[in-house]
Amino acid sequence: MTHDQKARLLHQIGATLKADRRFSPLGTLFICAVEDMFISMSLFWDRGNYIAYHSPDYDKFEDDMIALWELDPPDQRWLEIQYVLRGKESEVNVLYEADLGDDLVDPKRLRDSTQRYFGTKRVVYPTWRDGPTAGL
């Protein structure tokens, strides 16, 4: 059954997030966007005074995220999932094309998503990260 498969995959993703030694019980946000031939993932941790960004290990999540995406009929597939964990609580927000507009990977929208879950805090990116999102 598709519902059971989705629940199993979401549980597995949550378990993988919690197993990361950098996991933050204050809040961990995993964002994954999937389209045909494209996958993007971002990981954010609430560190109290700021939000820390990290690029997740695609090998740990890619197969599960694509399997989750493929469970829906092609004309009803989500484009982005936001999976947030706080302590023992979890929340999954599923976004579709109508929710996202034209730009699937919009750095401002990603920052806004983190602040919606964690409050208005500065997002800190690793020093090795450069480009248009480095200062967000």
Side-chain angles (χ1 to χ4, degrees):
M1 176 183 232
T2 302
H3 179 72
D4 290 343
Q5 291 171 313
K6 286 181 182 180
R8 181 186 56 77
L9 286 167
L10 288 170
H11 176 74
Q12 193 167 306
I13 292 162
T16 302
L17 290 168
K18 288 178 183 177
D20 189 318
R21 63 180 172 77
R22 296 162 295 188
F23 173 77
S24 173
L26 294 175
T28 295
L29 173 62
F30 174 69
I31 298 177
C32 180
V34 178
E35 277 190 300
D36 292 324
M37 306 300 293
F38 172 82
I39 188 165
S40 173
M41 297 180 215
S42 298
L43 189 55
F44 299 90
W45 297 298
D46 184 345
R47 296 295 189 215
N49 296 344
Y50 66 96
I51 300 165
Y53 167 86
H54 185 71
S55 181
D57 181 348
Y58 276 61
D59 291 338
K60 290 183 179 181
F61 296 99
E62 186 173 25
D63 291 342
D64 289 341
M65 295 310 299
I66 290 173
L68 186 63
W69 183 75
E70 289 177 338
L71 286 174
D72 292 328
D75 62 335
Q76 297 175 15
R77 288 184 176 149
W78 52 270
L79 291 182
E80 181 176 289
I81 284 186
Q82 300 174 350
Y83 194 126
V84 66
L85 297 163
R86 279 191 202 94
K88 295 182 181 185
E89 301 293 318
S90 65
E91 177 184 339
V92 177
N93 188 17
V94 180
L95 303 173
Y96 296 88
E97 187 173 356
D99 302 316
L100 297 176
D102 294 333
D103 195 1
L104 184 59
V105 182
D106 177 1
K108 182 184 179 309
R109 191 175 53 72
L110 287 176
R111 185 194 64 228
D112 291 348
S113 294
T114 63
Q115 292 181 348
R116 181 175 55 252
Y117 292 109
F118 303 145
T120 305
K121 300 176 186 177
R122 181 173 57 106
V123 179
V124 176
Y125 291 90
T127 56
W128 53 260
R129 185 177 170 116
D130 53 8
T133 60
L136 296 179

